[in-house]
Amino acid sequence: MQIYPKSQIWDIKPLEKFIADVRSVDPEATGTPLQTYEASKAIKHSYETAGIYALVAVCLFLLIDFRNLRDCLLHFCRRWLGRP
């Protein structure tokens, strides 16, 4: 059986609704929209994890370079406030 969505599924909200509707009928369903959705979730999670690792690495590098927690925190606060 093939099922086609009514709305544009290239946007995340209609895709999530379509996935929820399909899985309410058959939790084991497969297909391109479901694979795209799961892949995009995995990619997003990977980017978030990589960002956290990069932030920790930069913080450790600054701690080693400055040898002072106060200076490291001041540097991060200055960057978050948008100052060079």
Side-chain angles (χ1 to χ4, degrees), residues 22-78:
V22 169
R23 287 189 175 159
S24 68
V25 175
D26 183 11
E28 300 290 322
T30 62
T32 303
L34 284 87
Q35 293 169 349
T36 302
Y37 177 70
E38 292 299 330
S40 67
K41 278 182 22 180
I43 291 169
K44 180 182 176 194
H45 177 71
S46 298
Y47 281 139
E48 290 170 349
T49 303
I52 291 170
Y53 286 153
L55 182 65
V56 169
V58 168
C59 187
L60 287 175
F61 178 75
L62 288 176
L63 280 172
I64 292 168
D65 189 38
F66 291 147
R67 295 186 183 120
N68 187 339
L69 180 62
R70 181 183 157 274
D71 290 341
C72 179
L73 292 177
L74 285 175
H75 178 74
F76 271 115
C77 291
R78 190 174 85 199

